[in-house]
Amino acid sequence: MLRKVARGALSLRTAVRAVIAPSAAAGRAGAWALGSALLLALSPAAARSPVPSAPLESATVTVAELPAQGREVFRLIRAGGPFAHDKDGRVFGNRERLLPAQARGYYREYTVDTPGARNRGARRIVCGGEPRRPDRCYYTADHYASFRAIVE
């Protein structure tokens, strides 16, 4: 039922009614608990839990296909900087769990400037491994909602 709601095939209201109505016979506390559990499961934090439709390695982008700002950041990563933003090079926690699982501290993130943006924007390069010689780098244009492996 939760998957149908996540896909938009079932409304949240219908799902809540389907869970709460049968449990109402068990008493208000049971109905409240089940309804609360369903709402928590459908919260924005739970919605960010990824269910990739294709393996990450099949989603790739070449260095040449990166925006000009991304190519420059990729070059700076290999050179060890200097970077434009204080947060560049800091540990990326992979909380979205879209990248392959690794120990904390393995991934680092770098800002790819977005022309016209007043802040750091949504574009990033995330690299894993040694800072100057990463094992693998990934590009996201949508602030970690999806990643593409960078291939040279």
Side-chain angles (χ1 to χ4, degrees):
M1 183 180 326
L2 293 177
R3 287 185 182 171
K4 286 183 179 180
V5 172
R7 287 194 324 256
L10 184 67
S11 74
L12 178 59
R13 174 180 275 173
T14 303
V16 170
R17 283 183 181 163
V19 171
I20 292 177
S23 64
R28 282 190 179 279
W32 183 86
L34 284 173
S36 297
L38 179 62
L39 290 174
L40 284 173
L42 296 173
S43 71
R48 286 191 296 263
S49 296
V51 180
S53 58
L56 184 62
E57 298 305 317
S58 68
T60 61
V61 60
T62 65
V63 174
E65 292 172 322
L66 289 172
Q69 299 85 357
R71 291 191 301 271
E72 176 63 12
V73 170
F74 191 74
R75 184 190 69 74
L76 288 171
I77 291 167
R78 302 261 184 205
F83 301 105
H85 301 274
D86 290 338
K87 293 187 177 185
D88 288 347
R90 292 212 178 149
V91 170
F92 174 73
N94 195 23
R95 288 193 276 297
E96 296 80 6
R97 296 182 309 225
L98 290 175
L99 300 179
Q102 295 288 343
R104 176 141 175 85
Y106 178 79
Y107 292 111
R108 299 190 175 274
E109 71 172 289
Y110 305 88
T111 305
V112 176
D113 285 326
T114 303
R118 291 183 169 183
N119 56 23
R120 290 173 58 210
R123 304 186 306 179
R124 303 282 188 278
I125 291 178
V126 176
C127 294
E130 294 295 319
R132 286 190 182 194
R133 289 173 293 183
D135 301 329
R136 189 65 144 167
C137 292
Y138 301 89
Y139 175 70
T140 177
D142 52 18
H143 204 258
Y144 320 125
S146 66
F147 288 92
R148 293 186 288 165
I150 299 174
V151 294
E152 295 187 63

